[in-house]
């Protein structure tokens, strides 16, 4: 029997058909994502892949998802609750809804969720969903980032659940209102179209799948898919040691003050379920790092999945069933409106993930990687005299390394943990083609990876010279302090923090702290140093040959080899065994 | 192993569009038979396909000799000569063309055994290649594995002082003295460098510095293979270009040594015909040029397949095809639209990007060796593979996991004693045992039910792979005929066609040497690319057209140097286009040798709509790259038909029955000898057709026939062949599928 052909009996579906349909649903979300990847105008879509595609059933279950950026792994269900509440009784084929209000089912404003109810033979069965980071939603920031925001209203336009297409027709008035509030309306409109393209592709493919499998069977198949995912994750949790574990980390600042912002995670494992409680975090703050619960929960999921067996499913509601995330209202992990929030998806997530992995490491010390370098990058925007057009850029080439793990060195210049290596750096020539900068250097930094048995990935340095008369810039993120540099684990060393400076044409040096506005002029040089990842395990136990190879490649210095790894390297790049033995002492085999 | 196909002939070319067979080497006109020979050296077998000018084909297979590939090449030729009772010189005297597909460069790359290579780049950009644009390959959540090793390690990457900007202006002149000191430093490295790859910022806008460096290295490092990015792939994106030129240098010396040796050995046996090498784009190139563009062979393994598929389908007037080649570990799918094999400029090997046109062959890890396992009550098949060592449990080499092949055996599709013409018996009991332990018991199913489950799941993933390359382009798989090949392809083609509602499956009789048969009839192909990052307007179009003319001229000269008469030249022009500000381009083919603003814009809007479900007419577009493909059309065999032999197979074709499972029931299934089926013979499913190197499963409600070239056609029983062909033509067209939503 072909698996997407209809059959007559409506008994419990056989496991083979369930397997086939699950693969098919997964495939549909990928085809939706492909549409967005290939058509977007903003680099945030096509290069940073900051979006997610998902399918929900009409009962509100997430049944498939591809999260191109892992931090959106658990961010979609919250919006669906709001859509269901607002329109659930009155859905029409051809409607498309959108929202981006952080206090109504969202993480932060630049991420817009759109959802199309999918009808098969007149019956509402699914939602085809896409959520993506828009380069501009208005507001006074640079490419969406405004570190001086005092409320969410300073961060741009926010829609609660809104009907943007009614029975296949766009609400022109609403759309032009939105456009009129944007600096880069054309790019946003094109990206929005690519999202519409994606949900339409999903709609079409879901109709086809249902017609073949049969309406009368599809829900019982979905139930089996969810049951299977839930069973897998419960098995994975059951092997963890029961108990209460805690972890804590800070973000550098909230933009308005220089005070670090503390996130605290208390994790309770009981049998096959886990409770994460972030109530011990700081009270909500004035600046833009407050993390709505939607974002907090997604950060916790991300931390979990990077520590569990990599094959663990993470794309449907079955997986989230045994995991509860809670935080008291009014704390930085569950703020009340109108606190500003834009930085939560990066600096907020990074602090939460660090805190959560500290807790997880106590329950499963053999799998948890060392810390990753945090994101601290410039956004720039303005008139580009080379193209004669306005531009806006997130400088994604500025990115540090990932942490060493119990079995492997970290990855070099992989970027923030929020993207788990899914964010592609802009090619240097493409960077010069689309922005008014000349790149003078773009290279690894020696000794930037935290020392360990398994070394942290390398960070980079870049030097770009401003070619436009004047540009607006916001440098945003975290990781400029020693406590927010990538942390070592299991005896591994921390990496160096991120350090950025602007060299003026007059020889002035402006050392940048995260989350400030800066104005840059023709001839200025932006010099950025993104730190490496943390090391895993005591560096004195690293294989001396691995240290030698690193020295030969020029990514570890002879001095660091001697002082941190306790390996003596001769000038001809061979290992001095006697000296190494002396350095390491007798307790460590060479 | 020799399998003569008596009376098999090659199908027609679409009439009038291709020249008839013309002997290329007129000196041999007096000889009665002239052949072209396709030689496909694969990992396990070297496939040979010999075809005469009337399209009669012969299949030969000989074990490959991976450590000395030329040996397997000549073993195969010797075997043919012996079979013909000739000396190798006599036999080669009747061969006008040898079309050779080699995986020597592929293997060197996959095993990390390329040439010792130095990489030279602009100061400040040493690490661009190592960074790979900072993307994690594989499972994003899996940090247990280290990042992949670089092709050229950091200590072999050198920086020269120079800088060209995006307008091609040399804002820092090349410091030649410094470059010479670098070259002197390289001389001291042990073991010595065999190759140097050079990639400078914006070199495609102004290649002067790269060309100066060639002089420096040629002077100071004589004998070293030097390759520059502005020649190999003059297009924008420093990483992609650098990765391509690094690969070219990495495999260039290896391919050069191999081809020089092969050429000498062929000369030693008085071969006076012409040797051509198969490229990743499906065309062929003479050895001399191939040595300079060695990177073009990296993905040439499956490249003969689509051409072969097209050849067979044209006899039925079909040019919308999906070719499926299923072997032991992988399932390769390619698409042919309007007689054109789709290509991509976006491929990779071992994580290294290749930014040159290659046939767009989509590969998934589904093959005979794919492992089935149960996780939380759901069955998964692949992508893990048991390979050939230990292989499926039924191979009896210690494999302990149930695989697709084991399922095929349990279901009765494969004959345990007759597998691989009886040379390689399969262990049914072993297959049943692992199927019970690893699939049936965990799922609470019987062993045959479990095997059917594996069969269904792997078929569905293959169907998804086909959807991936059709639906993603806004096309409907129902518009395509399926060409099924490879050792395992015909076992699974029926259910896949049913799943996709594809009306017709064609299984070439030389299915098992599918690629070699395509190679034998390949055309010469050269791809030219030039980056031209400019908005599309009347001014830029003029400039673009003069660049296109220049590229066309180069193509024409090259083809003439290769002795291709001008009458056989074909040029096709395309441009990579995007809406201003987009980050990805769409390749738009144009019907003329020049481009025009309106034509290219319309073509782009249409293509964008069919690919992605929307377009933005009126929005300005920009060009990134200009492309010219120069084709030297090679003469093709002219067809003969085999005589009609009636619908009833002769008794000689009947091999009795075997118990096999179809749609949850066991049938006494008739088994036929494929080689004894004749033109016009038809059989009804459920049935099994056996050939020495492949087995065809005919599902219930399907029929299988033998066409005028002795290929097999399979379609639903309730339609005739003509109706099935008509269905391919009349199914909903692509444009109707794409929803064109605009704001």
């Amino acid at each position: 029997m072909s698996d997407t052909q209809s059959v007559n009996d409506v008994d419990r579906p056989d496991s083979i058909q369930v397997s086939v349909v699950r693969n098919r649903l997964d495939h549909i979300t990928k085809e939706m994502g492909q549409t967005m990847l290939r058509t977007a105008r903003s680099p945030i879509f096509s290069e940073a892949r900051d979006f997610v595609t998902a399918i929900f059933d009409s009962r509100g279950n997430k049944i498939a998802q591809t999260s191109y950026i892992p931090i959106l792994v658990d961010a979609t269900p919250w919006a669906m609750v709001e859509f269901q509440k607002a329109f659930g009784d009155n859905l029409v084929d051809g409607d498309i809804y959108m929202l981006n209000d952080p206090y109504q089912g969202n993480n932060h404003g630049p991420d817009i969720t759109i959802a199309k109810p999918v009808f098969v033979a007149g019956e509402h069965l699914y939602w085809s969903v896409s959520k993506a980071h828009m380069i501009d939603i208005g507001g006074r920031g640079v490419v969406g980032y405004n570190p001086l925001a005092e409320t969410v209203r300073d961060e741009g336009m926010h829609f609660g659940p809104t009907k943007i297409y009614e029975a296949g027709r766009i609400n022109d008035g609403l759309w032009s209102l939105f456009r009129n509030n944007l600096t880069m309306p054309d790019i946003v409109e094109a990206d929005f179209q690519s999202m519409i393209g994606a949900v339409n592709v999903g709609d079409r493919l879901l109709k086809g799948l249902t017609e073949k499998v049969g309406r009368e069977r599809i829900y019982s198949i979905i139930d089996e898919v969810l049951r299977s995912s839930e069973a897998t994750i419960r098995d994975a949790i059951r092997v963890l040691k029961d108990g209460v574990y805690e972890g804590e980390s800070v973000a550098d600042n909230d933009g308005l003050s220089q005070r670090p912002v503390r996130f605290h995670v208390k994790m309770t494992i009981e049998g096959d379920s886990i409770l994460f409680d972030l109530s011990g975090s700081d009270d909500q703050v004035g600046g833009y790092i407050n993390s709505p619960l939607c974002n907090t929960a997604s950060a916790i999921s991300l931390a979990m999945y990077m520590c569990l067996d990599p094959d663990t499913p993470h794309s449907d509601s079955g997986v989230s069933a045994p995991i509860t995330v809670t935080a008291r209202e009014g704390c930085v992990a569950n703020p009340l409106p109108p606190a500003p929030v834009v930085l939560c998806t990066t600096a907020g997530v990074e602090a939460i993930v660090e805190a959560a992995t500290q807790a997880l490491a106590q329950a499963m010390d053999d799998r948890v990687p060392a810390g990753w370098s945090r994101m601290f990058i410039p956004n720039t925007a303005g008139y580009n005299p080379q193209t004669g057009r306005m531009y806006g850029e997130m400088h994604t080439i500025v990115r540090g390394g990932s942490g060493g793990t119990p079995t492997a060195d970290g990855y070099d210049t992989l970027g923030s943990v929020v993207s788990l290596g899914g964010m592609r750096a802009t090619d240097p020539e493409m960077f010069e083609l689309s922005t008014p900068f000349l790149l003078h250097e773009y290279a690894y930094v020696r000794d930037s990876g935290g020392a360990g048995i398994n070394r942290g990935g390398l960070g980079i340095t870049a030097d770009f010279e401003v070619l436009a008369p004047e540009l607006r810039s916001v440098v945003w993120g975290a990781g400029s302090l020693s406590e927010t540099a990538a942390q070592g684990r299991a005896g591994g060393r921390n990496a160096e923090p991120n350090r950025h400076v602007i060299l003026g044409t007059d020889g002035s040096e402006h050392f940048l702290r995260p989350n400030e506005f800066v104005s840059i002029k023709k001839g200025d040089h932006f010099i950025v140093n993104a730190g490496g990842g943390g090391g895993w395990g005591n560096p004195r136990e690293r294989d001396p040959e691995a240290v030698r190879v690193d020295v030969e490649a020029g990514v570890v210095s002879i001095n660091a080899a001697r002082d941190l790894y306790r390996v003596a390297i001769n000038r001809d790049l061979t290992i001095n065994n006697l000296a190494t033995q002396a350095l390491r002492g007798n307790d460590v085999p060479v | 192993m020799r399998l003569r196909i008596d009376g098999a002939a090659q199908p027609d070319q679409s009439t009038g569009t291709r020249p008839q067979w013309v002997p290329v080497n007129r000196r041999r006109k007096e000889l009665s038979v002239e052949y072209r020979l396709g030689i496909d050296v694969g990992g396990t077998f070297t496939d040979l396909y010999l075809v005469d000018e009337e399209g009669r084909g012969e299949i030969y297979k000989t074990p490959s000799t991976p450590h000395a590939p030329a040996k397997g090449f000549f073993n195969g030729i010797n075997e043919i000569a012996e079979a013909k009772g000739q000396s190798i010189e006599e036999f080669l005297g009747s061969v006008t063309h040898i079309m050779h597909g080699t995986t020597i460069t592929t293997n060197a790359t996959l095993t990390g055994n390329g040439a010792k290579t130095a990489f030279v780049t602009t100061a400040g950009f040493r690490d661009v290649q190592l960074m790979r644009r900072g993307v994690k390959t594989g499972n994003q959540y899996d940090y247990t594995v280290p990042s992949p090793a670089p092709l050229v390690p950091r200590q072999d990457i050198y920086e020269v002082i120079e800088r060209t900007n995006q307008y091609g202006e040399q804002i820092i002149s090349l410091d030649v003295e410094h470059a010479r000191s670098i070259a002197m430093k390289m001389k001291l490295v042990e073991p010595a460098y065999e190759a140097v790859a050079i990639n400078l910022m914006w070199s495609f806008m102004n290649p002067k510095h790269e060309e100066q460096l060639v002089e420096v290295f040629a002077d100071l490092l004589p004998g070293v293979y030097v390759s520059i990015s502005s020649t190999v792939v003059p297009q924008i994106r420093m990483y992609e270009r650098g990765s391509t030129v690094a690969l070219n240098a990495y495999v260039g010396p290896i391919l050069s040594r191999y081809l020089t040796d092969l050429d000498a050995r062929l000369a030693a046996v008085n071969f006076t015909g012409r040797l051509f090498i198969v490229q990743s784009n499906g065309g062929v190139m003479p050895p001399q040029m191939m040595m300079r563009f060695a990177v073009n062979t990296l993905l040439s393994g499956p490249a003969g397949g689509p051409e072969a598929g097209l050849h067979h389908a044209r006899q039925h007037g079909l040019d919308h095809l999906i070719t499926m080649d299923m072997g032991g570990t992988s399932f390769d799918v390619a698409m042919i639209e309007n007689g054109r094999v789709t290509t991509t400029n976006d491929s990779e090997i071992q994580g290294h990007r290749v930014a040159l046109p290659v046939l767009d062959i989509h590969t998934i890890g589904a093959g005979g060796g794919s492992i089935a396992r149960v996780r939380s009550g759901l069955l998964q098949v692949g992508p893990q593979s048991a390979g050939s060592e230990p292989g499926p449990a039924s191979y009896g080499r210690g494999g302990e996991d149930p695989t697709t092949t084991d399922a095929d055996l349990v279901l009765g599709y494969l004959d345990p004693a007759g597998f691989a013409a009886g040379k390689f018996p399969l262990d049914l009991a072993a297959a049943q045992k692992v199927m019970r332990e690893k699939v049936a018991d965990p799922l609470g199913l019987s062993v045959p039910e479990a095997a059917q489950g594996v069969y269904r799941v792997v078929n569905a993933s293959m169907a998804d792979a086909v959807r991936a390359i059709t639906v993603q382009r806004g096309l409907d798989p129902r518009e395509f005929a399926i060409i099924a090949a490879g050792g395992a392809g015909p076992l699974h083609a029926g259910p896949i066609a049913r799943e996709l509602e594809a009306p017709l499956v064609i299984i070439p009789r030389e299915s098992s040497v599918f690629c070699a048969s395509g190679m034998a009839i390949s055309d010469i192909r050269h791809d030219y690319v030039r980056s031209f990052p400019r908005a599309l307007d009347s001014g830029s179009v003029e400039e673009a057209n003069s660049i296109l003319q220049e590229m066309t001229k180069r193509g024409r000269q090259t083809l003439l140097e290769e002795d291709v008469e001008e009458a056989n030249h074909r040029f096709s022009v395309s441009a990579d286009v995007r809406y201003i500000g987009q980050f990805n381009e769409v390749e738009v083919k144009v019907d003329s040798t020049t481009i025009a603003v309106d034509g290219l814009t319309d073509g782009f809007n249409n293509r964008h709509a069919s690919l992605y479900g929307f377009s933005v007419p009126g929005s300005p577009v920009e060009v990134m790259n200009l492309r010219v493909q120069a084709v030297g059309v090679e003469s093709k065999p002219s067809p003969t038909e085999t005589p009609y032999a009636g619908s009833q197979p002769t008794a000689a074709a009947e091999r009795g029955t075997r118990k096999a499972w179809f749609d949850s029931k066991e049938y006494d299934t008739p088994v036929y000898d494929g080689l004894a089926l004749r033109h016009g013979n038809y059989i009804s499913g459920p049935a099994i057709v056996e050939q020495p190197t492949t087995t065809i499963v005919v599902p219930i409600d399907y029929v299988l026939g033998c066409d005028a070239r002795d290929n097999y056609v399979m379609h639903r029983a309730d339609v005739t062949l003509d109706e099935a062909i008509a269905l391919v033509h009349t199914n909903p067209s692509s444009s109707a599928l794409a929803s064109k939503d605009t704001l």
Side-chain angles (χ1 to χ4, degrees), chain B residues 564-688:
Chain B
V564 182
E565 290 171 21
E566 211 152 332
N568 293 335
H569 293 190
R570 305 281 182 279
F571 297 95
S572 59
V573 165
S574 62
D576 298 348
V577 184
R578 64 192 197 183
Y579 291 119
I580 287 183
Q582 272 186 323
F583 275 73
N584 289 291
E585 300 87 56
V586 173
E587 188 179 349
V588 184
K589 298 196 155 77
V590 296
D591 288 330
S592 110
T593 52
T594 56
I595 56 174
V597 177
D598 289 351
L600 190 59
T601 308
D602 292 351
F604 169 68
N605 282 327
N606 291 338
R607 189 87 187 129
H608 199 278
S610 91
L611 286 173
Y612 307 122
F614 73 96
S615 64
V616 197
S619 183
V621 303
E622 60 188 344
V623 174
M624 275 293 124
N625 302 305
L626 300 169
R627 298 177 185 279
V628 169
Q629 184 171 74
V631 177
V633 177
E634 284 290 309
S635 46
K636 300 285 189 291
S638 55
T640 53
E641 295 198 351
T642 54
Y644 182 74
S647 65
Q648 193 60 37
T650 61
E654 288 168 13
R655 283 189 173 170
T657 63
R658 179 156 85 229
K659 288 199 185 304
W661 289 80
F662 287 84
D663 297 355
S664 311
K665 270 173 74 181
E666 197 173 23
Y667 291 81
D668 283 319
T669 310
V671 179
Y672 295 89
D673 175 2
L675 295 185
L677 291 176
R678 293 282 173 270
H679 176 192
N681 290 179
Y682 252 99
I683 59 178
S684 301
I688 293 169

Side-chain angles (χ1 to χ4, degrees), chain B residues 154-172:
Chain B
R154 194 167 192 263
Q155 54 269 33
D156 296 320
I157 303 176
Y158 299 85
E159 294 171 283
V160 290
I161 297 161
E162 70 88 39
R163 182 67 146 91
T164 300
N165 69 10
Q166 59 175 302
Y167 308 105
E169 298 158 357
Q170 298 169 341
I171 54 177
I172 302 173

